[in-house]
Amino acid sequence: MTDGVQALLNEVRKQREGLKLPELLRRQFKDSPVQVNNEEKPKDSKPVLRVLQWNLLAQALSQGDDNFVLCPLEALQWEHRKLHILEEILTYNATIVCLEEVDHFTFMQEMLGKAGYDGSFFPKPDSPCLYSDVNYGPDGCAVFWKKDQVSLIQQKGVVLKDEKREPTNQVAVICKFTHLLLHKEFFVAVTHLKSKTPYWQMRHEQGKYLEQTLTKSVTPSTPLVVCGDFNAEPSEQVYATFRKSELKLGSAYCYLSDKLEEPAFTTWKVRGGPHGKNCETAQCIDYVFFTTDFLRPVSLLQLPTEEQIGKDRLPSMTYPSDHLSLVVDFVFCG
């Protein structure tokens, strides 16, 4: 961890302690037990590319009568959430940070800039945040990167399209970097697809459009990482679109399991439902895809247990979002 990251992390923790907020939910890394392409993990290999994926929950969308009914209102206040959000990102000290539902990009850019990061942001064309009584601007996708480890070559924002090739309200950011130590080029993409079960077909079309865009943009010999909140469980067609892509993408969190299965959940929340009944959902809808020919996940941040999350689920006083961050250590191969 660099001096800049550690100094800002210490400052954030000091502020949190001053407000008497509980400690952030702690998790541990686990080495991947699974080989990629039947290759042995080199004994002396060191992770050189750490990627963090997280839907951090837009502040303007975090409050409301039908939202997180078991979450204390205090936990949803921005003055509290921003400290836990920064602590989560800084604790894991990733080279690349991919975020969704960012509606405080200027704040994030300013704070993470103190730790040596630069960033790129692309808002939704018609963000629902703008219709909240209290809002901070549109939400969208963002990528942050450590300037002392990677150099940005190019970037572009993409408005995803539907089956008629009409623009939708979901977006992606695609960046190309050079790894300064290894002199290797690689791509990173982040996206956030349409939410809610009835829109599975739109998610499929949005995903197909992004996959086709990436296929055209990424040279065949260049590593690629695709992060995002896909709002789709592994049974949906959009998941298959990426797993069966000609880009030869694996899903990193499958490599936590000997059975190569996705985790049981990446989000766990309780929302208000009709007739006063609460609706609880635990789903796996967030992913870190990667090109298996060129990258190998060697360590992953484990997901918490149900007991660690707590009976009121997410967000909570110990975790600022309804989605859990995913963090993967990659080595380049091939």
Side-chain angles (χ1 to χ4, degrees), residues 257-269:
S257 163
D258 292 322
K259 297 180 181 179
L260 284 176
E261 296 176 342
E262 296 287 358
F265 59 87
T266 59
T267 179
W268 199 334
K269 69 198 80 176

Side-chain angles (χ1 to χ4, degrees), residues 50 229 242:
R50 174 170 287 187
D229 173 1
F242 281 84

Side-chain angles (χ1 to χ4, degrees), residues 242-256:
F242 281 84
R243 292 303 305 272
K244 296 178 180 180
S245 168
E246 65 181 73
L247 293 166
K248 298 182 181 178
L249 298 174
S251 182
Y253 265 72
C254 285
Y255 291 85
L256 268 183

Side-chain angles (χ1 to χ4, degrees), residues 19-75:
L19 291 173
K20 295 181 168 43
L21 296 177
E23 284 192 7
L24 185 69
L25 177 66
R26 296 298 179 93
R27 296 186 277 159
Q28 301 296 320
F29 282 87
K30 180 181 178 180
D31 288 346
S32 170
V34 182
Q35 299 173 10
V36 181
N37 294 338
N38 297 316
E39 293 183 13
E40 293 285 350
K41 176 183 172 182
K43 293 181 180 179
D44 61 347
S45 68
K46 294 182 179 179
V48 293
L49 183 64
R50 174 170 287 187
V51 178
L52 183 149
Q53 145 60 29
W54 195 21
N55 178 332
L56 50 74
L57 176 61
Q59 181 62 22
L61 302 180
S62 68
Q63 301 178 13
D65 294 338
D66 63 344
N67 273 330
F68 307 107
V69 292
L70 299 185
C71 180
L73 290 178
E74 183 183 6

Side-chain angles (χ1 to χ4, degrees), residues 24-186:
L24 185 69
L25 177 66
R26 296 298 179 93
R27 296 186 277 159
Q28 301 296 320
F29 282 87
K30 180 181 178 180
D31 288 346
S32 170
V34 182
Q35 299 173 10
V36 181
N37 294 338
N38 297 316
E39 293 183 13
E40 293 285 350
K41 176 183 172 182
K43 293 181 180 179
D44 61 347
S45 68
K46 294 182 179 179
V48 293
L49 183 64
R50 174 170 287 187
V51 178
L52 183 149
Q53 145 60 29
W54 195 21
N55 178 332
L56 50 74
L57 176 61
Q59 181 62 22
L61 302 180
S62 68
Q63 301 178 13
D65 294 338
D66 63 344
N67 273 330
F68 307 107
V69 292
L70 299 185
C71 180
L73 290 178
E74 183 183 6
L76 297 175
Q77 294 176 11
W78 178 242
E79 291 304 305
H80 296 166
R81 289 191 65 232
K82 69 180 183 181
L83 297 176
H84 272 157
I85 288 171
L86 287 172
E87 188 174 1
E88 178 80 351
I89 294 171
L90 295 168
T91 295
Y92 299 118
N93 194 30
T95 310
I96 304 290
V97 177
C98 295
L99 303 174
E100 303 86 54
E101 287 197 23
V102 179
D103 65 346
H104 274 85
F105 177 73
T106 301
F107 168 81
M108 297 294 293
Q109 187 176 42
E110 178 184 351
M111 296 304 294
L112 292 178
K114 296 179 181 179
Y117 287 91
D118 201 354
S120 176
F121 173 69
F122 193 63
K124 294 174 182 175
D126 187 28
S127 167
C129 291
L130 297 176
Y131 298 94
S132 297
D133 291 338
V134 179
N135 73 77
Y136 311 88
D139 77 304
C141 293
V143 179
F144 291 91
W145 58 91
K146 281 191 171 183
K147 295 183 291 183
D148 64 342
Q149 294 184 20
V150 298
S151 175
L152 180 69
I153 300 173
Q154 63 186 46
Q155 61 182 327
K156 66 176 178 179
V158 179
V159 176
L160 303 179
K161 295 184 179 181
D162 61 18
E163 69 278 5
K164 298 180 180 179
R165 285 300 189 260
E166 293 292 330
T168 68
N169 199 33
Q170 278 64 49
V171 299
V173 177
I174 303 172
C175 296
K176 185 179 183 181
F177 296 100
T178 295
H179 194 286
L180 296 176
L181 179 63
L182 299 179
H183 307 291
K184 285 182 176 289
E185 294 183 354
F186 64 97

